[in-house]
PDB file of all heavy atoms in Angstrom:
ATOM      1  N   GLU A 178       2.865  27.960 -11.734  1.00 66.00           N
ATOM      2  CA  GLU A 178       3.377  27.858 -13.097  1.00 66.00           C
ATOM      3  C   GLU A 178       2.377  28.388 -14.111  1.00 66.00           C
ATOM      4  O   GLU A 178       2.656  28.423 -15.295  1.00 66.00           O
ATOM      5  CB  GLU A 178       3.708  26.397 -13.418  1.00 66.00           C
ATOM      6  CG  GLU A 178       4.841  25.840 -12.576  1.00 66.00           C
ATOM      7  CD  GLU A 178       4.982  24.339 -12.735  1.00 66.00           C
ATOM      8  OE1 GLU A 178       4.275  23.737 -13.569  1.00 66.00           O
ATOM      9  OE2 GLU A 178       5.796  23.767 -12.007  1.00 66.00           O
ATOM     10  N   GLY A 179       1.186  28.759 -13.658  1.00 59.00           N
ATOM     11  CA  GLY A 179       0.190  29.344 -14.550  1.00 59.00           C
ATOM     12  C   GLY A 179      -0.816  28.373 -15.116  1.00 59.00           C
ATOM     13  O   GLY A 179      -1.511  28.712 -16.061  1.00 59.00           O
ATOM     14  N   SER A 180      -0.914  27.179 -14.556  1.00 52.00           N
ATOM     15  CA  SER A 180      -1.908  26.220 -15.031  1.00 52.00           C
ATOM     16  C   SER A 180      -3.296  26.637 -14.573  1.00 52.00           C
ATOM     17  O   SER A 180      -3.500  26.907 -13.398  1.00 52.00           O
ATOM     18  CB  SER A 180      -1.643  24.835 -14.456  1.00 52.00           C
ATOM     19  OG  SER A 180      -0.719  24.155 -15.225  1.00 52.00           O
ATOM     20  N   PRO A 181      -4.264  26.692 -15.464  1.00 51.00           N
ATOM     21  CA  PRO A 181      -5.628  27.006 -15.036  1.00 51.00           C
ATOM     22  C   PRO A 181      -6.237  25.852 -14.255  1.00 51.00           C
ATOM     23  O   PRO A 181      -5.831  24.706 -14.400  1.00 51.00           O
ATOM     24  CB  PRO A 181      -6.378  27.227 -16.359  1.00 51.00           C
ATOM     25  CG  PRO A 181      -5.567  26.521 -17.393  1.00 51.00           C
ATOM     26  CD  PRO A 181      -4.138  26.520 -16.906  1.00 51.00           C
ATOM     27  N   ASP A 182      -7.218  26.177 -13.404  1.00 50.00           N
ATOM     28  CA  ASP A 182      -7.869  25.177 -12.549  1.00 50.00           C
ATOM     29  C   ASP A 182      -8.499  24.036 -13.330  1.00 50.00           C
ATOM     30  O   ASP A 182      -8.531  22.915 -12.858  1.00 50.00           O
ATOM     31  CB  ASP A 182      -8.958  25.826 -11.690  1.00 50.00           C
ATOM     32  CG  ASP A 182      -8.396  26.436 -10.428  1.00 50.00           C
ATOM     33  OD1 ASP A 182      -7.229  26.136 -10.098  1.00 50.00           O
ATOM     34  OD2 ASP A 182      -9.131  27.193  -9.780  1.00 50.00           O
ATOM     35  N   ASP A 183      -9.011  24.324 -14.523  1.00 50.00           N
ATOM     36  CA  ASP A 183      -9.714  23.259 -15.229  1.00 50.00           C
ATOM     37  C   ASP A 183      -8.760  22.180 -15.747  1.00 50.00           C
ATOM     38  O   ASP A 183      -9.186  21.151 -16.216  1.00 50.00           O
ATOM     39  CB  ASP A 183     -10.586  23.809 -16.360  1.00 50.00           C
ATOM     40  CG  ASP A 183      -9.809  24.620 -17.385  1.00 50.00           C
ATOM     41  OD1 ASP A 183      -8.626  24.929 -17.138  1.00 50.00           O
ATOM     42  OD2 ASP A 183     -10.406  24.950 -18.423  1.00 50.00           O
ATOM     43  N   GLU A 184      -7.439  22.390 -15.612  1.00 55.00           N
ATOM     44  CA  GLU A 184      -6.488  21.354 -15.974  1.00 55.00           C
ATOM     45  C   GLU A 184      -6.178  20.439 -14.794  1.00 55.00           C
ATOM     46  O   GLU A 184      -5.418  19.503 -14.926  1.00 55.00           O
ATOM     47  CB  GLU A 184      -5.182  21.974 -16.494  1.00 55.00           C
ATOM     48  CG  GLU A 184      -5.338  22.618 -17.861  1.00 55.00           C
ATOM     49  CD  GLU A 184      -4.019  23.146 -18.396  1.00 55.00           C
ATOM     50  OE1 GLU A 184      -2.959  22.744 -17.895  1.00 55.00           O
ATOM     51  OE2 GLU A 184      -4.068  23.943 -19.320  1.00 55.00           O
ATOM     52  N   LEU A 185      -6.764  20.737 -13.644  1.00 56.00           N
ATOM     53  CA  LEU A 185      -6.510  19.910 -12.470  1.00 56.00           C
ATOM     54  C   LEU A 185      -7.214  18.573 -12.622  1.00 56.00           C
ATOM     55  O   LEU A 185      -8.330  18.496 -13.125  1.00 56.00           O
ATOM     56  CB  LEU A 185      -7.027  20.596 -11.200  1.00 56.00           C
ATOM     57  CG  LEU A 185      -6.331  21.897 -10.806  1.00 56.00           C
ATOM     58  CD1 LEU A 185      -7.004  22.490  -9.587  1.00 56.00           C
ATOM     59  CD2 LEU A 185      -4.864  21.645 -10.543  1.00 56.00           C
ATOM     60  N   SER A 186      -6.540  17.553 -12.169  1.00 62.00           N
ATOM     61  CA  SER A 186      -7.143  16.225 -12.204  1.00 62.00           C
ATOM     62  C   SER A 186      -8.147  16.101 -11.061  1.00 62.00           C
ATOM     63  O   SER A 186      -8.165  16.913 -10.137  1.00 62.00           O
ATOM     64  CB  SER A 186      -6.060  15.161 -12.067  1.00 62.00           C
ATOM     65  OG  SER A 186      -5.469  15.260 -10.796  1.00 62.00           O
ATOM     66  N   LEU A 187      -8.932  15.064 -11.127  1.00 63.00           N
ATOM     67  CA  LEU A 187      -9.948  14.829 -10.105  1.00 63.00           C
ATOM     68  C   LEU A 187      -9.323  14.682  -8.723  1.00 63.00           C
ATOM     69  O   LEU A 187      -9.817  15.250  -7.752  1.00 63.00           O
ATOM     70  CB  LEU A 187     -10.767  13.586 -10.457  1.00 63.00           C
ATOM     71  CG  LEU A 187     -11.852  13.184  -9.465  1.00 63.00           C
ATOM     72  CD1 LEU A 187     -12.865  14.320  -9.297  1.00 63.00           C
ATOM     73  CD2 LEU A 187     -12.541  11.920  -9.931  1.00 63.00           C
ATOM     74  N   GLU A 188      -8.198  13.928  -8.621  1.00 61.00           N
ATOM     75  CA  GLU A 188      -7.601  13.739  -7.296  1.00 61.00           C
ATOM     76  C   GLU A 188      -7.029  15.045  -6.752  1.00 61.00           C
ATOM     77  O   GLU A 188      -7.051  15.282  -5.546  1.00 61.00           O
ATOM     78  CB  GLU A 188      -6.539  12.629  -7.292  1.00 61.00           C
ATOM     79  CG  GLU A 188      -5.189  12.993  -7.833  1.00 61.00           C
ATOM     80  CD  GLU A 188      -5.075  12.865  -9.336  1.00 61.00           C
ATOM     81  OE1 GLU A 188      -6.058  12.499  -9.987  1.00 61.00           O
ATOM     82  OE2 GLU A 188      -4.001  13.138  -9.853  1.00 61.00           O
ATOM     83  N   GLU A 189      -6.557  15.928  -7.637  1.00 59.00           N
ATOM     84  CA  GLU A 189      -6.061  17.223  -7.172  1.00 59.00           C
ATOM     85  C   GLU A 189      -7.212  18.095  -6.674  1.00 59.00           C
ATOM     86  O   GLU A 189      -7.085  18.777  -5.651  1.00 59.00           O
ATOM     87  CB  GLU A 189      -5.286  17.918  -8.283  1.00 59.00           C
ATOM     88  CG  GLU A 189      -3.969  17.226  -8.583  1.00 59.00           C
ATOM     89  CD  GLU A 189      -3.296  17.718  -9.847  1.00 59.00           C
ATOM     90  OE1 GLU A 189      -3.999  18.080 -10.798  1.00 59.00           O
ATOM     91  OE2 GLU A 189      -2.066  17.732  -9.871  1.00 59.00           O
ATOM     92  N   LYS A 190      -8.330  18.048  -7.363  1.00 61.00           N
ATOM     93  CA  LYS A 190      -9.494  18.810  -6.904  1.00 61.00           C
ATOM     94  C   LYS A 190      -9.988  18.275  -5.563  1.00 61.00           C
ATOM     95  O   LYS A 190     -10.351  19.051  -4.677  1.00 61.00           O
ATOM     96  CB  LYS A 190     -10.614  18.744  -7.948  1.00 61.00           C
ATOM     97  CG  LYS A 190     -10.288  19.545  -9.198  1.00 61.00           C
ATOM     98  CD  LYS A 190     -11.368  19.396 -10.252  1.00 61.00           C
ATOM     99  CE  LYS A 190     -10.968  20.143 -11.517  1.00 61.00           C
ATOM    100  NZ  LYS A 190     -11.923  19.945 -12.603  1.00 61.00           N
ATOM    101  N   ARG A 191      -9.978  16.955  -5.401  1.00 61.00           N
ATOM    102  CA  ARG A 191     -10.369  16.365  -4.117  1.00 61.00           C
ATOM    103  C   ARG A 191      -9.416  16.790  -3.008  1.00 61.00           C
ATOM    104  O   ARG A 191      -9.836  17.050  -1.887  1.00 61.00           O
ATOM    105  CB  ARG A 191     -10.376  14.839  -4.216  1.00 61.00           C
ATOM    106  CG  ARG A 191     -11.545  14.279  -4.957  1.00 61.00           C
ATOM    107  CD  ARG A 191     -11.489  12.771  -4.954  1.00 61.00           C
ATOM    108  NE  ARG A 191     -12.587  12.221  -5.722  1.00 61.00           N
ATOM    109  CZ  ARG A 191     -12.585  11.005  -6.234  1.00 61.00           C
ATOM    110  NH1 ARG A 191     -11.546  10.213  -6.054  1.00 61.00           N
ATOM    111  NH2 ARG A 191     -13.612  10.568  -6.916  1.00 61.00           N
ATOM    112  N   ALA A 192      -8.122  16.810  -3.326  1.00 60.00           N
ATOM    113  CA  ALA A 192      -7.128  17.199  -2.327  1.00 60.00           C
ATOM    114  C   ALA A 192      -7.341  18.637  -1.880  1.00 60.00           C
ATOM    115  O   ALA A 192      -7.264  18.958  -0.686  1.00 60.00           O
ATOM    116  CB  ALA A 192      -5.715  17.017  -2.880  1.00 60.00           C
ATOM    117  N   VAL A 193      -7.637  19.516  -2.818  1.00 59.00           N
ATOM    118  CA  VAL A 193      -7.881  20.923  -2.483  1.00 59.00           C
ATOM    119  C   VAL A 193      -9.124  21.018  -1.605  1.00 59.00           C
ATOM    120  O   VAL A 193      -9.129  21.711  -0.591  1.00 59.00           O
ATOM    121  CB  VAL A 193      -8.045  21.769  -3.760  1.00 59.00           C
ATOM    122  CG1 VAL A 193      -8.547  23.158  -3.441  1.00 59.00           C
ATOM    123  CG2 VAL A 193      -6.721  21.839  -4.501  1.00 59.00           C
TER     124      VAL A 193
END
Side-chain angles (χ1 to χ4, degrees):
E178 295 170 5
S180 275
D182 276 347
D183 58 350
E184 289 184 17
L185 295 177
S186 65
L187 179 59
E188 79 275 1
E189 290 169 327
K190 289 176 183 175
R191 285 182 183 159
V193 170

